[in-house]
Structure formats: structure tokens, C-alpha cells
């Protein structure tokens, strides 16, 4: 990369949103005049494309893209090939970026199953080079927009996480807001209006080369099933720039909710608004739906959105108990998703060495408990631990196959000859035997602990500085 001497310089000037909307036009296609709240003011900053391609910024972007790895795009280039490619082509690519002639490659469409097996989620994978350029743009624009984002927005923001959003939602419920307006945006990333989004970006970015480049990324097209489709709306999930663009657009929703004085948490396109009564919730649902559809051209998924009690809804995989001071717990949907993943793994574990199989399970189990470490109700962790150990005992029982082998192995594990023979020849199925007393005695919890199996209950008690409680029944 050629050495740059230009430093980032930021100069704030006042301008109206109407001026920003006019400034957003004139690059790319689909030019319309999109105006927003007239009383708001915004800023133009003289961040330029030179800031984006500056040496230090590009190095930071390069190391971020390489560390994230990821799949190859339509050109088949992977992250390991990026360095040698840039050494040959960067001067030419940089010249195109500076003169505004650079054109992104088509995005590769891939589909991954949604949680719970309900359809698929469509992701767009840019080429490694385009991911590098998007990351460089993100690093320049993020500090510019970040300082004005709402304190109640938590998704894809530095120093904020899903845990922060979950704890805030609990705080609202503790304050007496015992009803929640659970908003689900229908195919949000596929339905973002390019013109509305670009008008918001143009409020703070006046370099038209950056604006044209972002517009080009939005309209770069999608390769799906061998055919290239034009992108007239949406911002494909999968690129480094997409999360920032979604926050820029939905910041209008945040500001509107703040203006109305609502208590809310938003993580990307998941938004929960906490109110004091069902009547207030219905009123808020109707008015916010109208705002989203008229101002931002976004659709609310009425089948998944609802006004209900917080303990009957889930937010970012968590739900809570009905107490006056509610306790966080893992939602049933999250448990179901974990079991689905583990069942697929157990099917592949037949005939495998138990130690190596448990080692392969570790990342999934440890990652799950790290995310759900905020839960304060322990029942589900005990049940999951027992369920996992039973599946592992089932794998062991299957591997033994014959009654004589089962008798010999059970005796090795401490059972008497008579007890071992009765258990080995009982004629019951694998799952029944995996939960029976003889297998629990032969392979107790301490055995799996020595094998390195992650125990959810042990981990949750280790992470917390207070006792996790059982949840009493709701009456």
C-alpha cells in the first residue's frame, strides 16, 4: 500500500436534513427527495476517500478481515491470497477509489437455516477485496455516527453487547413496566430503502466519492443460482458495512422513541418497548408500526410481533420470570435450538472415541454457557446436563453392542457380575438403558468431568457471585 501523509480532519458545519437529502442525490440511480424531521440538525464532515485509503486505516482493515477469515466471494479468492493480490494490484485499486471509478463485485448469495428450522436466512458474501474496502469505510464512518446513536441501541456497537441489552430489559421490567411491545421487522436487511439510507449518510458525509461507493455496494447485485439479480433495495447481511448501515437507518426509530419518552431496548432489528399496561402497549404498537411503514418504508411482521408480558416473550435468547423483581432465564426457544444442534452432533458421534468426541463438543457447549451466563434460574442447566450425559451414555451402550460385551464392560465399571448380567440382557432399547441406574452408576457425572465435558450448572455457578435459584411455579 502506498504511504499516505494526509491526516483525518473533521470540520463540523450545520445543515438541515432537507439539504442532506438533496446532497444524497446525484450519485447512483434511484434519486428521490427524502426528507426527515425538519427540527433536527445534522453535520457535514470533511472525511474524504483519502481518509479511507490512508495507510494506517487500510492496515487495520486488512488485519481485521484476515482475522475474521470468512468464505470466498464470487471471485473465489480467500483471505490467504489477499496479501499477494494487494501487493500487485493495490496502486491500481487505490487510484480507482480516489477517482471514483471503482466498482464492487457482485455479492454471492448463500442460505443458512434459521433457528428452529423456520425457513432460511439469506446472507450476501462480498469478495475479500470488497470486505477489505468496506471495513476501511466502516472504521472511518463508525466514530462519526457512533457519538449520536441512542444509549438504548446495543447491536454492533463498540463497548456494547447483547448482555447489556438483556440487563437493560430486566431493569425496565423491575421498574414496573410489566408489558412489552415486541417488534419484529419483516426481512429488514432485504427491505432497506437505499434512498432513505443514503440521505441519512449524506447528513454527515459530504465527499461524494464515498457516497457513490456506498451506493455502489448497495446496488452491486446478487449472484444466486448462477444468475445475477439487481439489488433495488436492502443491504445484504455478510459485509462489514451492513451492521453500521442498519444502525444509521434505525437511529431514526431510536430518536422517535426517545422523543416520545419510551423505555426501550434495540439490538439491530430486534426492538422491545416496555410500557405499564396492555392498552398503552397496543397504542404504542400501532403508532410505531405507522412510523416505520410511512417514514422508513419498513414492514412490521405482525405474526411475530405482539404486546404481551415480558415472561411470555423472549429477547435475544432470554426471557424472565414473573416476579416483581424478575429473574433472567434461558428462553425455551434457545434450549430447543441447542438440543437440535446437539442431536445432530450425537448422530455423528456413534462409533467415535468418547474423549475426542467430547473435545469436539466443548466449543459449542462453552460458547452457549458463556452467552447464557446471565441466567438466574438453574433448572434448565441441570436438565440439560442430565440430557447430554444420557446421550453420551447412549453412545457408549450402542458401541458395546452384544450382551456379553456389555456385561464385561459394566463389571469393569464396578457393577457386580449378577447386576451386570441382568442389566446387559434386559432387552430394553439404547435410550432406556442410557437413563437406567446401571449406566448412571457405571458412568456418573464425575466420569464425564474427568473426560472434560462442560457442565452447564458448574459453569454458571462458577461465573456468578450469588446463588442461582429454582423457579417457583407461576400461579
Amino acid at each position: 500500500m502506498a504511504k499516505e501523509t494526509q491526516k483525518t480532519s473533521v470540520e463540523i458545519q450545520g445543515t438541515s436534513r432537507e439539504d442532506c437529502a438533496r446532497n444524497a442525490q446525484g450519485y447512483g440511480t434511484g434519486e428521490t427527495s427524502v426528507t426527515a424531521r425538519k427540527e433536527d440538525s445534522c453535520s457535514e464532515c470533511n472525511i474524504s476517500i483519502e481518509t479511507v485509503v490512508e495507510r494506517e486505516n487500510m492496515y487495520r482493515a486488512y488485519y481485521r478481515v484476515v482475522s475474521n477469515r470468512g468464505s470466498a466471494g464470487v471471485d473465489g479468492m480467500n483471505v490467504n491470497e489477499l496479501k499477494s493480490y494487494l501487493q500487485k494490484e493495490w496502486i491500481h485499486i487505490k487510484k480507482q477509489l480516489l477517482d471514483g471509478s471503482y466498482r464492487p463485485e457482485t455479492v454471492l448469495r448463500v442460505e443458512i437455516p434459521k433457528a428452529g428450522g423456520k425457513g432460511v436466512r439469506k446472507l450476501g458474501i462480498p469478495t475479500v477485496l470488497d470486505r477489505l474496502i468496506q471495513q476501511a469505510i466502516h472504521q472511518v464512518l463508525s466514530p462519526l455516527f457512533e457519538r449520536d446513536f441512542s444509549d438504548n441501541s446495543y447491536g454492533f456497537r463498540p463497548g456494547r453487547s447483547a448482555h447489556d441489552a438483556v440487563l437493560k430489559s430486566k431493569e425496565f421490567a423491575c421498574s414496573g413496566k410489566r408489558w412489552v411491545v415486541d417488534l419484529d421487522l419483516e426481512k429488514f436487511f432485504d427491505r432497506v430503502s437505499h434512498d432513505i439510507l443514503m440521505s441519512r449518510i449524506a447528513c454527515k458525509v459530504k465527499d461524494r466519492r464515498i457516497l457513490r461507493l456506498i451506493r455502489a455496494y448497495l446496488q452491486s447485485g446478487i449472484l444466486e443460482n448462477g444468475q445475477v439479480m439487481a439489488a433495488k433495495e436492502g443491504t445484504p447481511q455478510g459485509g462489514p458495512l451492513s451492521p453500521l448501515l442498519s444502525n444509521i437507518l434505525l437511529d431514526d426509530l431510536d430518536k422517535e422513541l426517545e422523543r416520545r419518552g419510551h423505555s426501550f431496548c434495540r439490538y439491530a432489528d430486534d426492538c422491545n418497548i416496555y410500557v405499564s399496561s396492555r392498552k398503552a402497549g397496543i397504542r404504542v404498537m400501532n403508532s410505531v408500526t405507522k412510523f416505520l411503514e410511512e417514514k422508513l418504508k419498513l414492514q412490521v411482521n405482525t405474526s411475530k410481533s405482539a404486546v404481551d408480558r415480558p415472561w411470555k416473550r423472549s429477547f435475544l435468547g432470554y426471557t424472565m420470570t414473573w416476579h416483581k423483581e424478575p429473574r433472567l432465564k434461558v428462553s425455551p426457544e434457545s434450549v430447543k435450538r441447542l438440543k437440535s444442534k446437539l442431536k445432530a452432533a450425537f448422530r455423528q458421534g456413534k462409533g467415535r472415541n468418547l474423549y475426542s468426541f467430547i473435545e469436539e463438543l466443548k466449543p459449542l457447549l462453552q460458547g452457549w454457557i458463556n452467552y447464557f451466563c446471565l441466567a438466574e434460574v438453574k433448572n434448565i442447566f441441570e436438565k440439560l446436563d442430565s440430557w447430554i450425559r444420557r446421550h453420551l451414555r447412549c453412545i457408549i451402550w450402542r458401541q458395546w453392542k452384544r450382551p456379553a460385551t456389555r456385561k464385561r464392560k459394566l463389571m469393569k465399571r464396578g457393577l457386580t457380575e449378577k447386576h451386570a448380567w441382568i442389566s446387559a440382557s434386559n432387552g430394553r432399547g439404547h435410550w432406556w438403558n442410557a437413563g437406567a441406574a446401571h449406566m448412571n452408576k457405571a458412568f456418573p457425572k464425575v466420569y464425564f468431568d474427568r473426560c472434560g465435558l462442560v457442565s452447564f450448572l458448574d459453569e454458571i455457578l462458577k461465573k456468578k457471585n450469588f446463588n442461582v435459584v429454582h423457579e417457583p411455579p407461576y400461579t
Side-chain angles (χ1 to χ4, degrees), residues 37-38 118 141 146 175 210 228 232 241 303-304 332 431 467:
R37 299 185 298 273
K38 294 181 180 180
K118 300 177 181 178
L141 296 190
E146 177 68 28
S175 70
I210 295 180
V228 177
K232 297 181 180 179
L241 202 51
S303 63
K304 294 183 179 180
W431 184 247
N467 290 326

Side-chain angles (χ1 to χ4, degrees), residues 206-223:
K206 67 181 181 181
D207 189 327
R208 295 201 170 201
R209 292 169 297 177
I210 295 180
L211 298 175
R212 289 192 187 100
L213 183 56
I214 296 173
R215 169 80 81 164
Y217 276 119
L218 292 173
Q219 298 180 332
S220 58
I222 300 169
L223 178 64

Side-chain angles (χ1 to χ4, degrees), residues 192-443:
V192 170
S193 167
H194 291 173
D195 295 319
I196 295 177
L197 174 58
M198 291 307 303
S199 72
R200 301 306 186 261
I201 298 172
C203 284
K204 294 190 177 183
V205 179
K206 67 181 181 181
D207 189 327
R208 295 201 170 201
R209 292 169 297 177
I210 295 180
L211 298 175
R212 289 192 187 100
L213 183 56
I214 296 173
R215 169 80 81 164
Y217 276 119
L218 292 173
Q219 298 180 332
S220 58
I222 300 169
L223 178 64
E224 186 173 12
N225 299 325
Q227 294 184 339
V228 177
M229 299 179 293
K232 297 181 180 179
E233 61 180 2
T235 169
Q237 291 175 270
L241 202 51
S242 182
L244 175 62
L245 298 183
S246 67
N247 275 334
I248 291 173
L249 182 65
L250 289 175
D251 188 55
D252 275 27
L253 172 62
D254 298 339
K255 295 296 189 290
E256 178 66 16
L257 294 176
E258 287 177 345
R259 187 184 67 82
R260 299 181 185 186
H262 289 311
S263 301
F264 71 96
C265 296
R266 183 179 66 79
Y267 190 95
D269 56 335
D270 290 332
C271 184
N272 277 6
I273 308 169
Y274 294 86
V275 295
S276 300
S277 67
R278 180 176 180 82
K279 184 177 179 181
I282 293 173
R283 183 178 67 251
V284 170
M285 172 70 83
N286 293 335
S287 62
V288 172
T289 298
K290 183 178 179 182
F291 172 84
L292 287 167
E293 293 177 350
E294 292 183 358
K295 299 296 184 182
L296 299 181
K297 309 302 179 187
L298 297 172
Q299 294 294 318
V300 173
N301 190 331
T302 54
S303 63
K304 294 183 179 180
S305 302
V307 177
D308 211 336
R309 296 292 195 177
W311 51 88
K312 294 183 180 180
R313 305 295 294 181
S314 63
F315 181 51
L316 301 177
Y318 283 86
T319 185
M320 59 184 74
T321 64
W322 50 268
H323 301 85
K324 185 175 181 180
E325 293 189 5
R327 302 184 182 102
L328 293 174
K329 65 177 186 176
V330 184
S331 72
E333 295 84 357
S334 299
V335 175
K336 185 178 179 181
R337 287 196 292 269
L338 175 67
K339 284 188 171 183
S340 178
K341 291 179 182 178
L342 287 173
K343 282 179 181 178
F346 290 137
R347 284 193 290 270
Q348 298 173 359
K350 298 174 184 178
R352 299 278 304 281
N353 176 275
L354 191 66
Y355 285 91
S356 61
F357 180 62
I358 288 175
E359 281 298 314
E360 290 184 13
L361 288 181
K362 266 187 182 179
L364 172 61
L365 301 179
Q366 193 65 58
W368 195 85
I369 194 60
N370 286 345
Y371 182 77
F372 288 105
C373 64
L374 296 181
E376 300 164 285
V377 178
K378 73 175 183 179
N379 306 53
I380 190 58
F381 299 115
E382 292 178 317
K383 291 177 182 177
L384 280 172
D385 282 341
S386 175
W387 182 83
I388 291 170
R389 289 193 293 267
R390 185 171 180 177
H391 267 281
L392 293 174
R393 294 185 187 109
C394 187
I395 289 174
I396 295 170
W397 187 262
R398 283 177 180 274
Q399 289 175 348
W400 290 347
K401 294 183 179 179
R402 297 179 182 179
T405 305
R406 290 169 179 167
K407 175 190 171 185
R408 187 175 70 253
K409 296 287 188 180
L410 287 172
M411 289 176 64
K412 274 189 176 182
R413 296 297 306 165
L415 272 68
T416 64
E417 183 177 2
K418 180 180 179 180
H419 190 184
W421 174 246
I422 292 173
S423 302
S425 57
N426 61 35
R428 299 274 190 168
H430 304 99
W431 184 247
W432 186 92
N433 276 285
H438 54 271
M439 285 298 284
N440 278 274
K441 183 177 179 180
F443 297 95

